[in-house]
Amino acid sequence: MNDKLGDWKRTHRCGELTADLIGQDVCVMGWVQRRRDHGGLIFIDLRDREGIVQLALDPDRDAESHKKAEQIRNEFVVAARGKVSARPEGTVNPKMKTGEVEIEISEMLILNSSETPPFMLDEYTEVAENIRLKYRFLDLRRPALQNNLMLRHLVAKTVRNYLDGEGFIEVETPVLTKSTPEGARDYLVPSRVNVGKFYALPQSPQLFKQLLMVAGFDRYFQIVKCFRDEDLRADRQPEFTQIDCELSFVSRDDVVSVMEGMVAKVFKDAIGVDVALPMPRLTYQEAMDRFGVDNPDMRFDLELINITDLVAGSQFKVFADVAANDGLVKALNAKGCATFSRKELDDLTEFVKIYGAKGLAWVKVTEDGWQSPIAKFFTPAELEALNAKLDAQVGDLLLFMADTPKVANEALGRLRGHLGQKLGLADKSNYKFVWITDFPLLEWDEEENRHVAVHHPFTSPMEEDIPLLDSEPGKARAQAYDLVLNGSEVGGGSIRIHDQAVQSRMFELLGIGNEEAREKFGFLLDALSFGAPPHGGIAFGLDRLMMILTGADSIRDVIAFPKTQKATCLLSDAPNEVAEKQLRELGIRLRSKQN
RNA sequence: GGGGCUGUAGUAGAGUCGGUUACAACGCCGGCCUGUCACGCCGGAGGUCGCGGGUUCAAGUCCCGUCAGCCCCGCCA
C-alpha cells in the first residue's frame, strides 16, 4: 500500500542540494536510482531532473523509515524529509554535484512502487534503440535525454526572447492546409465534411508567412512543426520543428545579419560558445568548386582542385576522355596519408561508388616519385605540373576523380567529408559556420523534362539575372541563402518574389500553366497584387541545430517521441488501422490486401 | 525501390571447424552486512538462439525466405 502525498511540499530538487544548505530541513521527491542496504544503514540515491542526492537512513534515527527503505526498489517514487548534513570525513563523493552532503532522513513516504525496469536507467548501460523507443517514458528518465530536452527548451526560449527583441511577432499558421504540388510528398488528411477532399499537413508555413507580410505584420516568426512524407535518415524525421521567420522591407544582408545575431545568442546562452560575427560566406559556385558540395564542412581544408585542363591532353584515357566530354577531373591532397593501406584505399573507392563514381585513382607521393597504378600514363612535365598544382609533398596521398561535373563534385566532395571524419579533423566542439549564397534559381529535371525550383517557386531571382529568365533561365541565380554549420545545413531562406508578374513568369518557367497556378496558388497571386511589400525570410531546423549543440549522432536523441526509420512510433504503435466506421464516414475504401 | 550492418536469459555480450546439459557479467529473487555511492559476500531462478523453411545422423552455427531496428543511395523545393 502506497503512502499518500497529503500536505507534504517539496522544498528543493535533488540535484540542488549542495554544501551551502547544510543544517537545513528539506523535503525532496523523486525516483530511486539505487538502494545500498548495509543491513544497518541504508543509502538511497534519489533522482529527479536536476540530479541525484544521497538519502541516509539510520535505524537508530528513524526506525520506521528505515523499515520502509528495506522494501524500496529501483524507480520507486519516494518523498523524504530530513536534515542536509555534511558527509562524514572521507566519505565525500567528488564525482557527484551533491557529493559533499546527504540527507539524514527523519520521515519518508513511498508514493508509488515500480515494476523492475526492462533496462537499467543509468549512464553505463547501452540499450538497443527499439527497446528504448518502446519504453520511451523510461528512456526519457535518463540524464542524457533529459539534458538534451532541457537544452532544447533553453534554445527555444532564447530564440523567442531574441526575436521578440528584434520586433518579431509569433503567429500560428494552419496545420490543416492545402496540398502543394512542388517539393516533398505531403501527409494527407481526409476531410469528413468534404468527402473526397483532403487537407495536407504543411511542409512549411511558406505561403502563410508571406501572406502575413502582405498583411503588414512586418516581422513574423514561429517555432513550428512541419511534415514531409519522405524516407527518414539519421538527421531526418517525418515531423520536425522549424524556427520559421519572415521579414518585410529587407535585403538578403538584413536577413543574414539579424539571424546571425540569433544564432550567436543561442550558442552563447546554450553552450557558452562565442560565435565570431559576421559569419563567412561562400557563393554556391565557389562552394562547389572548392568543396564539391553546397554544405561544406569548414572545420578542415582538404579542398578539391580542378585539374581538368592539366590532364586533358594526357595519355591517360580515362581522364582525357572525361575532359573531352565536358566532364570534370578533380583531385584532393590528403596530407600525410601515403601510409594508407590497400584496404583503406579500397574502402575509399567503395565509398565514392555510393555516389555514382566509377572509381577513384590514388597516388602515394614517395621519395622516388609517384607510387600509383596511373603514374605510368603521365609525362615528367605533366607530373611536375600536377605536383605543383596539388602542392604534393613526400608522404601525401593524392586522390583523383573523373566524371560528369555532378558526380565528380558530389563523390569527391563527400569523400572530403569522409576523410575529415576519418582523420579526426571534424572536432564536435569546434563550430564553423558558413553562409552559402547565390544559388541557382532553377534546375533541369530530366525525369519531368522541365525546370524545377532549387529552393522553392517563390524565391526571387537576383535583380541583374531577371533578363536571363527569358534567354537562359538555367543560368539565373536566386536570392537564396543557406546557413551551413559543420557540414550540416541548419537553415535556409530567400528573398521572395513580391511582384505578381514575376511570380507568374516563374510559374511559367516551372511549367505550371496559368490555370494550374490560379488553382494551386491563386490566393498568393491575389495577395501579391494587393500591395505586397518586398520581403524575405528563413527557416532553421531546430532539431539539426540541437543535434549539433548536444553532440547527438541521431535526431531521435533531441526529440521526445521520435519515429523509427519506417516512420512508426514503437511507443504508441502509430500508425494503426482504423475502424471501418471511420473509413465509411470519410468515404474511403481500402484496396484489398491481395492487390 | 535498392545496398549494407545487427538480431542469443530482463539488459548488453561470448559462443572456435556444425557435435555432450548454450556461457560469464549486469539486473532480478532469497539470505548476511552500520559509511556505501556502478557497495560487498553467500545462494538461487531465469532461454521459442527474431520468425519460417531447407541441408545434415546432428544447426545458435551452413543455405533460402521473412520480420524488426539501425546506417546509406534514391527521395527530401
Side-chain angles (χ1 to χ4, degrees), chain A residues 10 40 47 51 99 105 135 205 239 253 261 308 312 315 366 368-369 371 374 395 426 474 497 514:
Chain A
R10 180 173 60 185
R47 182 194 69 238
I105 299 306
Y135 297 97
E239 56 177 305
D253 288 359
T308 314
Q315 293 302 302
T366 69
D368 307 323
Q371 181 202 327
I374 66 167
I497 299 167
N514 231 330

Side-chain angles (χ1 to χ4, degrees), chain A residues 375-390:
Chain A
K376 58 184 179 241
F377 296 110
F378 297 100
T379 65
E382 285 167 339
L383 291 177
E384 196 180 327
L386 286 168
N387 279 329
K389 181 93 175 173
L390 296 173

Side-chain angles (χ1 to χ4, degrees), chain A residues 441-442 459-473 475-479 496-499 501-503 505-506 509:
Chain A
L441 184 67
L442 302 165
T459 298
S460 176
M462 308 263 290
E463 294 290 339
E464 62 265 38
D465 288 359
I466 288 184
L468 286 173
L469 296 185
D470 294 319
S471 51
E472 294 177 280
K475 292 211 170 144
R477 290 164 303 164
Q479 294 193 56
R496 327 297 185 188
I497 299 167
H498 67 280
D499 181 316
V502 177
Q503 185 66 67
R505 177 79 185 103
M506 186 69 185
L509 284 169

Side-chain angles (χ1 to χ4, degrees), chain A residues 150-208:
Chain A
M150 288 194 286
L151 191 69
R152 188 174 172 129
H153 160 75
L154 176 61
V155 167
K157 189 180 79 166
T158 302
V159 164
R160 283 203 166 88
N161 287 344
Y162 176 87
L163 291 176
D164 176 64
E166 294 290 326
F168 286 75
I169 290 165
E170 185 163 18
V171 181
E172 291 162 88
T173 53
V175 171
L176 294 175
T177 178
K178 188 173 175 178
S179 178
T180 51
E182 298 281 304
R185 202 174 280 120
D186 286 320
Y187 272 100
L188 294 176
V189 180
S191 167
R192 178 184 58 81
V193 284
N194 303 279
V195 169
K197 294 189 177 176
F198 295 82
Y199 302 98
L201 304 182
Q203 299 173 25
S204 95
Q206 183 59 36
L207 295 178
F208 289 102

Side-chain angles (χ1 to χ4, degrees), chain A residues 203-494:
Chain A
Q203 299 173 25
S204 95
Q206 183 59 36
L207 295 178
F208 289 102
K209 66 174 172 175
Q210 290 190 239
L211 296 181
L212 288 169
M213 294 303 101
V214 177
F217 281 88
D218 197 84
R219 288 185 170 194
Y220 140 97
F221 85 100
Q222 188 180 187
I223 297 179
V224 60
K225 273 288 179 75
C226 300
F227 306 85
R228 291 177 192 174
D229 187 3
E230 298 292 349
D231 287 351
L232 290 82
R233 286 286 187 283
D235 62 352
R236 259 163 45 188
Q237 283 269 306
E239 56 177 305
F240 58 100
T241 304
Q242 283 190 178
I243 303 166
D244 193 49
C245 305
E246 196 77 8
L247 306 77
S248 288
F249 310 111
V250 289
S251 66
R252 175 190 73 190
D253 288 359
D254 297 325
V255 177
V256 161
S257 134
V258 174
M259 292 303 146
E260 283 184 349
M262 181 184 85
V263 170
K265 177 76 174 146
V266 163
F267 271 71
K268 184 67 184 170
D269 286 9
I271 57 172
V273 166
D274 289 302
V275 176
L277 298 183
M279 295 172 183
R281 298 186 196 181
L282 285 176
T283 64
Y284 171 84
Q285 194 55 54
E286 199 179 352
M288 295 305 285
D289 289 346
R290 290 171 55 193
F291 306 103
V293 293
D294 64 2
N295 58 345
D297 191 330
M298 304 302 282
R299 286 174 296 184
F300 48 88
D301 295 332
L302 286 176
E303 292 194 19
L304 278 48
I305 296 157
N306 190 339
I307 55 161
T308 314
D309 292 344
L310 292 184
V311 299
S314 80
Q315 293 302 302
F316 188 35
K317 215 167 158 334
V318 176
F319 284 5
D321 284 356
V322 163
N325 290 298
D326 294 326
L328 206 52
V329 184
K330 278 190 158 181
L332 66 78
N333 182 349
K335 284 280 167 197
C337 292
T339 52
F340 274 24
S341 66
R342 184 62 203 230
K343 169 84 166 62
E344 285 175 298
L345 293 170
D346 287 347
D347 286 348
L348 297 184
T349 305
E350 287 308 306
F351 179 86
V352 296
K353 283 181 179 171
I354 295 171
Y355 303 96
K358 291 174 221 40
L360 180 72
W362 55 265
V363 170
K364 291 180 176 179
V365 183
T366 69
E367 299 284 359
D368 307 323
W370 281 21
Q371 181 202 327
S372 167
I374 66 167
K376 58 184 179 241
F377 296 110
F378 297 100
T379 65
E382 285 167 339
L383 291 177
E384 196 180 327
L386 286 168
N387 279 329
K389 181 93 175 173
L390 296 173
D391 185 31
Q393 313 284 333
V394 170
D396 290 351
L397 175 69
L398 311 177
L399 297 164
F400 296 83
M401 172 73 50
D403 216 304
T404 61
K406 190 171 149 57
V407 171
N409 270 327
E410 163 136 49
L412 202 58
R414 298 291 198 127
L415 182 65
R416 171 183 176 271
H418 179 71
L419 280 171
Q421 295 286 342
K422 182 178 160 71
L423 299 174
L425 304 173
D427 176 6
K428 273 190 179 180
S429 61
N430 183 15
Y431 305 94
K432 292 293 184 199
F433 293 88
V434 61
W435 289 100
I436 309 295
T437 65
D438 299 19
F439 280 84
L441 184 67
L442 302 165
E443 187 177 38
W444 185 256
D445 187 316
E446 291 290 346
E447 252 175 55
E448 298 196 38
N449 201 35
R450 66 174 182 108
H451 280 111
V452 295
V454 168
H455 189 54
H456 58 52
F458 321 107
T459 298
S460 176
M462 308 263 290
E463 294 290 339
E464 62 265 38
D465 288 359
I466 288 184
L468 286 173
L469 296 185
D470 294 319
S471 51
E472 294 177 280
K475 292 211 170 144
R477 290 164 303 164
Q479 294 193 56
Y481 32 83
D482 278 359
L483 182 61
V484 172
L485 167 54
N486 292 359
S488 178
E489 183 203 324
V490 295
S494 63

Side-chain angles (χ1 to χ4, degrees), chain A residues 64-106:
Chain A
E64 196 186 332
S65 295
H66 182 269
K67 198 164 171 50
K68 273 186 187 174
E70 286 179 340
Q71 12 156 345
I72 281 177
R73 295 294 180 270
N74 287 352
E75 301 310 317
F76 276 33
V77 185
V78 162
R81 283 173 172 164
K83 192 181 291 293
V84 178
S85 66
R87 293 195 185 184
E89 189 82 34
T91 64
V92 165
N93 185 347
K95 286 184 285 186
M96 292 175 76
K97 187 177 147 205
T98 63
E100 288 180 73
V101 302
E102 63 190 9
I103 309 179
E104 293 178 345
I105 299 306
S106 51

